[in-house]
Each structure stands twice: as structure tokens, then as C-alpha cells.
Amino acid sequence: MHENSLLSEDDLVPVPAPAWPAPGAHALRGARDGLLVVDLHGDIDLANATPLRDWLDSVVALRAPAYVVDLRRTTFVDSTGLNLVLRFRRRVRESEAGFAVVCAPRTVRLLWAHGTLDVLDPLPGIPEAVSRIAGR
């Protein structure tokens, strides 16, 4: 999976919506080799937890070889939102797919405060996430 060259943001294309359309402005993008990027936007919290959980479940059902959760465009993540990301991670790893998280520095501080920084071990961008997945 992209072992010889780094994947850039321009290499990702929109993926047709799985069973449920993404709630809100969230998007699913993919690379030719099957990598899926779950691009989350806005608030990830109790108010939108149920539709987002259903959508993430439908994304896992696609059985991609690897997933990256991109939190760089989120504006707020509460404990419910973090639990959704952790649940998604668990389900991806149970399917033996690769997994990585990308986030901005402000989200790194949030992950540290909630005790999930070491578990999610976020990276600053998609190329770094792809490199980590390829080296797993």
C-alpha cells in the first residue's frame, strides 16, 4: 500500500456513500489501492453520535485494507465523539485492516487530556499515516 511513494491529498477521490449517507459535512475519500479516509468535519459530539456511529459502521462494512480518520477539520470533539473514534478503531482492527488518525495540534491536546493520545497515536497528515500503515 503506497510503500514506494507517499500518498498526497490530491491522490484521494470521493468514494460513493456506503449504505447510509454521511451525516453533516463528513466525507469518505479513497485511494486506488483501497485505502479509505474518513474525513470528519465540525462537531463530533453527543448531538450527532447516533447517525455518525451508523455511518462509521457502514464504512467498516466496506472491508477496506486500511482506514485513516482525519480529524483536522473538526471544531469540537467531546467524550462521546472520542468513543466513536475508538469504537471505529476497534472494529477496523478486528477486521485486521490498517488504521491511523490524523489531527491538528489542538486535537492532540484534547486526546492527551482524555487519556487517548497513546492509543490513537495521531499523525499530522495523510502521507505520514499511509507510511505508518504500510510499515505495520
Side-chain angles (χ1 to χ4, degrees):
M1 168 162 304
H2 293 289
E3 293 178 33
N4 295 329
S5 64
L6 291 178
L7 179 71
S8 75
E9 299 281 338
D10 296 331
D11 293 329
L12 297 170
V13 297
V15 173
W20 295 280
H26 310 304
L28 184 61
R29 298 181 294 153
R32 281 181 290 228
D33 61 3
L35 169 85
L36 292 179
V37 177
V38 177
D39 197 0
L40 301 178
H41 294 249
D43 293 350
I44 310 298
D45 57 14
L46 182 60
N48 60 26
T50 299
L52 183 56
R53 184 195 67 229
D54 292 345
W55 182 66
L56 290 172
D57 286 350
S58 69
V59 171
V60 170
L62 294 173
R63 299 282 185 213
Y67 297 84
V68 175
V69 174
D70 190 346
L71 297 172
R72 292 177 295 177
R73 292 174 190 85
T74 58
T75 52
F76 176 76
V77 181
D78 71 1
S79 60
T80 303
L82 284 176
N83 280 330
L84 287 175
V85 174
L86 290 167
R87 180 179 184 272
F88 182 71
R89 174 186 175 269
R90 179 181 50 81
R91 296 195 68 221
V92 165
R93 295 188 76 177
E94 285 173 353
S95 71
E96 299 184 7
F99 180 84
V101 172
V102 172
C103 69
R106 70 182 182 282
T107 309
V108 170
R109 288 190 299 274
L110 170 79
L111 297 177
W112 177 80
H114 281 90
T116 57
L117 183 61
D118 290 340
V119 173
L120 294 176
D121 195 15
L123 297 157
I126 301 293
E128 295 88 350
V130 170
S131 291
R132 177 179 289 163
I133 290 169
R136 63 178 167 118

